[in-house]
Amino acid sequence: MTDVMALARERTQLFRDVIDGNIPKRVPIFVSFSIEFAIQYAGKNLMEAQWDTGQLEEIFDQICRDFYSDLLPVNAFRFPSFYRLLGARNFVMSSNGFLQHPEVEGLLQEEYDDFIASPYNCIIEKILPRIYTELDTDASTKALALAKAFKAFHDEMGTAIMIYGRLNQKYGYGDVNFFAGFTEAPFDFISDQLRGFKGISTDIRRVPDKVEAAVEAATPLMIKAGMQPFPSKYNATFIPLHMAPFMRTKDFERFYWPTFKKLVEALAEAGHPSNLFVEHDWMRYLDYLYELPENTIMRFEYGDPKLVKEKLGKKHIIAGFYPVSLLKTGTKQQCIDKAKELLDILAPGGRYYFDFDKVPITLDSVNVENARAVLEYVAANANY
Amino acid sequence: MNTKYYKTWEQYRAEHPEIDEKQAKVMAPKMQGYEEMMFSFIMFLLM
């Protein structure tokens, strides 16, 4: 067996131990850098590299070479080609090469009944044409636009997956996948691109029954979207959580929680664990999160790690909390001390892997020397 | 799913009785696979 294969087996075992509820040899590390960060770090042109995705192997290789992680530390899935081919309003590349996400309203308030009657029909007939201008045209033209975008999507994903496979082999990363599927909480789905932040905030006051019915109608779609091709306890469906921290608790209880819980439970029953990015501050909702199926992965952005460990740490898998902002503003020693502090709180008893509180988006959002030092510190010192 | 834009293999087969058993066996995974790929793509466009 080559050294790299042995390394991959060891890293896989670290994560399998975490998932199996055993104490691993060391706290595993899984950090991820955005495609923008990676391109800037490699000194390449943002716009060119996102269109000419053949460049990404060399670009991602530099991240793998320079930043310690036990799983592949890059993951890109939004490419400009298919968004452009569809005339997207929801993801638009700016002149500096960043893919912006403007607020959009794919569903009008007066269309709730259509959505409730058949969410998928409504998506195809009303929502997509409103968000994607190339689908708001005659039937023949829109058929060709969709065909081109579908081809582009699978070409880009195919290129990316091949690159990931080669980098996994080259660097001996662990063989577990926390992004094996992708879906959203039903309320987030309705909020993000259908009604928008402003629209949904108004709706829960003016048409609460329709919001509740729409969220319920969306749930089977979100469950189906989150199913992975090959169920495994070591692979997870990624669910980024958005709206709950901005809601009143009584609204969360009515509109967000019931269908979100149903989603995570349905995925778990079908053999797909969920990997939640618990965005912003969910400390109000920890008792709810506890109710989710055992071994749900929860990567936290903000909040109290001690409270999370105490309330959730024996049932679920915890990650996150390490403030990316400190990597920008702190000294190297302060950054390492913060890692020590979090390890002291979160590592005991296992069920924990090290991650930042969010993905560094741009090169100037961190001091790369600090980021490297923290990752190397954890890799060398977080032994059980 | 209550929609005219997504069909399971069984629904498709019911609409195409001319497909014999032998053909159906080899067609089913491929046809369903493309149906699932399009569903996933459509949903991805809104996430």
Side-chain angles (χ1 to χ4, degrees):
Chain A
M1 192 191 303
T2 65
D3 288 350
V4 130
M5 284 171 71
L7 183 59
R9 284 180 62 131
E10 188 178 321
R11 286 166 153 173
T12 300
Q13 192 58 45
L14 292 176
F15 281 96
R16 288 190 171 203
D17 282 338
V18 166
I19 292 162
D20 290 336
N22 300 324
I23 303 289
K25 195 172 151 190
R26 158 175 68 74
V27 171
I29 300 170
F30 177 29
V31 291
S32 197
F33 295 86
S34 72
I35 185 171
E36 292 90 350
F37 181 100
I39 294 168
Q40 291 178 328
Y41 184 72
K44 301 285 186 182
N45 181 280
L46 256 183
M47 192 181 294
E48 281 176 24
Q50 289 178 87
W51 275 96
D52 178 12
T53 46
Q55 293 186 27
L56 292 177
E57 184 153 3
E58 182 197 338
I59 288 166
F60 290 161
D61 192 293
Q62 293 187 44
I63 296 291
C64 298
R65 185 193 63 198
D66 292 348
F67 296 91
Y68 190 93
S69 179
D70 293 309
L71 301 181
L72 183 69
V74 285
N75 182 18
F77 56 91
R78 297 199 192 278
F79 297 100
S81 55
F82 49 85
Y83 287 120
R84 184 78 194 187
L85 282 162
L86 289 169
R89 289 185 167 129
N90 53 347
F91 290 97
V92 181
M93 185 172 271
S94 64
S95 57
N96 62 8
F98 281 93
L99 206 56
Q100 308 282 356
H101 178 30
E103 173 98 337
V104 290
E105 184 185 36
L107 179 76
L108 304 181
Q109 195 182 69
E110 55 268 31
E111 291 171 338
Y112 265 113
D113 288 340
D114 294 329
F115 185 86
I116 293 160
S118 173
Y120 203 60
N121 283 1
C122 187
I123 284 170
I124 301 288
E125 293 168 0
K126 295 188 172 164
I127 297 168
L128 288 181
R130 196 165 285 130
I131 294 179
Y132 293 97
T133 58
E134 296 296 323
L135 301 179
D136 187 19
T137 178
D138 65 277
S140 302
T141 306
K142 80 168 79 165
L144 294 174
L146 189 64
K148 284 184 275 187
F150 187 66
K151 172 80 169 94
F153 175 78
H154 284 283
D155 284 351
E156 303 288 31
M157 291 302 174
T159 300
I161 287 167
M162 295 295 283
I163 292 171
Y164 301 155
R166 287 193 289 271
L167 292 173
N168 273 325
Q169 280 200 325
K170 179 175 177 182
Y171 288 95
Y173 289 123
D175 183 22
V176 302
N177 186 352
F178 289 171
F179 295 92
F182 177 38
T183 191
E184 284 190 334
F187 186 86
D188 285 332
F189 180 72
I190 301 291
S191 305
D192 287 352
Q193 300 191 43
L194 273 55
R195 295 293 299 130
F197 189 93
K198 272 196 291 188
I200 199 72
S201 303
T202 306
D203 296 349
I204 57 177
R205 286 164 179 78
R206 290 195 186 156
V207 286
D209 293 346
K210 289 191 192 295
V211 174
E212 190 172 31
V215 170
E216 281 169 11
T219 303
L221 294 187
M222 308 323 295
I223 293 170
K224 184 168 172 52
M227 297 284 182
Q228 307 154 28
F230 308 106
S232 162
K233 68 189 286 198
Y234 301 118
N235 294 333
T237 294
F238 178 56
I239 311 177
L241 307 179
H242 297 149
M243 287 294 291
F246 305 102
M247 300 171 75
R248 294 179 298 184
T249 301
K250 68 173 189 172
D251 291 334
F252 169 85
E253 287 167 345
R254 177 175 178 188
F255 300 109
Y256 197 102
W257 177 249
T259 51
F260 170 53
K261 182 167 184 263
K262 197 183 283 183
L263 166 69
V264 177
E265 286 176 344
L267 291 174
E269 276 166 27
H272 311 282
S274 292
N275 168 25
L276 311 179
F277 177 31
V278 189
E279 285 189 35
H280 209 265
D281 186 338
W282 276 62
M283 295 306 103
R284 270 189 289 155
Y285 303 128
L286 293 183
D287 291 336
Y288 292 95
L289 291 176
Y290 182 81
E291 290 177 29
L292 294 174
E294 187 175 2
N295 267 358
T296 299
I297 300 163
M298 301 178 186
R299 180 221 192 162
F300 286 85
E301 187 173 14
Y302 305 130
D304 179 352
K306 277 185 190 157
L307 190 61
V308 167
K309 184 70 176 176
E310 180 190 315
K311 289 206 164 194
L312 307 178
K314 289 188 172 64
K315 183 177 182 185
H316 299 305
I317 295 164
I318 309 300
F321 284 119
Y322 189 96
V324 159
S325 58
L326 183 64
L327 298 174
K328 171 77 176 174
T329 58
T331 64
K332 193 168 162 183
Q333 193 55 50
Q334 285 170 328
C335 292
I336 289 172
D337 288 346
K338 186 69 185 177
K340 284 183 192 169
E341 177 194 322
L342 286 170
L343 289 168
D344 285 345
I345 296 167
L346 294 166
R351 290 187 185 273
Y352 167 64
Y353 71 88
F354 182 88
D355 196 355
F356 299 139
D357 64 350
K358 61 177 77 62
V359 170
I361 300 290
T362 58
L363 188 59
D364 65 3
S365 61
V366 300
N367 173 337
V368 292
E369 296 303 323
N370 285 345
R372 270 196 218 117
V374 165
L375 296 171
E376 279 160 21
Y377 173 83
V378 178
N381 295 284
N383 298 311
Y384 279 96
Chain B
M1 201 175 356
N2 171 28
T3 177
K4 57 184 174 181
Y5 299 111
Y6 173 92
K7 286 190 176 73
T8 62
W9 167 251
E10 290 71 24
Q11 289 169 319
Y12 183 87
R13 182 84 196 279
E15 291 173 9
H16 295 275
E18 76 280 6
I19 300 170
D20 64 36
E21 277 303 316
K22 199 174 169 188
Q23 259 188 312
K25 208 172 166 184
V26 289
M27 280 176 71
K30 201 159 210 175
M31 297 291 280
Q32 191 67 51
Y34 285 120
E35 195 73 33
E36 300 305 330
M37 283 169 76
M38 183 54 80
F39 172 81
S40 298
F41 179 57
I42 295 291
M43 296 306 292
F44 174 80
L45 290 176
L46 294 174
M47 291 198 274

